[in-house]
Amino acid sequence: LREAAAVARRAIAADPGNARAYQQMGLIELRLGRWSEARDHLRRAVTIDPRLPFAWNNLGVALYHLGEPGAAFKAWQQALDLQPDLWDTLWNLATKAHESGWNQLARLSFERFLAEAPPERYGEQLRQARLHLAQLKHGPA
């Protein structure tokens, strides 16, 4: 991570408008658990280039950890609008919306996940999504 951060810092120093370098710095800060720093780098990345789905996804992670679920859900939705097959992002959106009591968003996200996520890769999450969806439709067991 140290080497990757050094490369990203050099890229930013050489070109302060390098959105991908800010995206990389944001990812590094996420991996280090530095949520505020990650948020700041990722916001800069999407301000420079709002067409970066992974920057939006990672911004959602940082925002959620900072106690801003509504902003996180918007960031994850933006990532999905840009790249609809980001199944891990959709899973994050569904599960975190459910945990946060955003039941309609959770239900819609779980339904889409069940309808579209590839079962060969997401078999266990699909099983869990069915359980979450049943809970949302019928209340806790």
Side-chain angles (χ1 to χ4, degrees):
L1 288 178
R2 218 174 314 176
E3 289 176 32
V7 169
R9 282 190 201 96
R10 283 194 301 273
I12 291 168
D15 177 10
N18 186 334
R20 292 190 187 275
Y22 284 103
Q23 175 180 265
Q24 187 63 29
M25 280 301 301
L27 177 58
I28 291 164
E29 297 294 359
L30 276 184
R31 290 191 175 156
L32 294 171
R34 297 195 289 222
W35 314 122
S36 295
E37 293 86 347
R39 176 201 57 209
D40 295 346
H41 287 298
L42 293 161
R43 278 188 175 155
R44 179 86 170 132
V46 299
T47 296
I48 295 168
D49 185 354
R51 299 165 298 159
L52 297 172
F54 294 107
W56 283 107
N57 175 66
N58 292 338
L59 178 58
V61 173
L63 291 166
Y64 192 82
H65 281 283
L66 288 167
E68 300 180 45
F73 302 153
K74 287 179 185 177
W76 284 328
Q77 189 57 60
Q78 183 64 34
L80 291 164
D81 289 347
L82 291 166
Q83 189 171 336
D85 66 348
L86 292 176
W87 306 120
D88 293 328
T89 301
L90 183 58
W91 179 252
N92 279 344
L93 180 58
T95 58
K96 299 307 182 189
H98 190 200
E99 287 175 16
S100 299
W102 293 51
N103 292 340
Q104 183 174 353
L105 177 60
R107 183 181 52 76
L108 293 171
S109 300
F110 280 127
E111 286 172 351
R112 180 168 168 233
F113 190 84
L114 282 167
E116 299 176 22
E120 60 278 0
R121 180 164 176 211
Y122 292 96
E124 177 56 25
Q125 287 94 336
L126 289 166
R127 185 189 70 72
Q128 291 176 29
R130 284 184 200 89
L131 295 173
H132 285 294
L133 199 52
Q135 186 181 49
L136 286 164
K137 288 182 178 178
H138 306 295

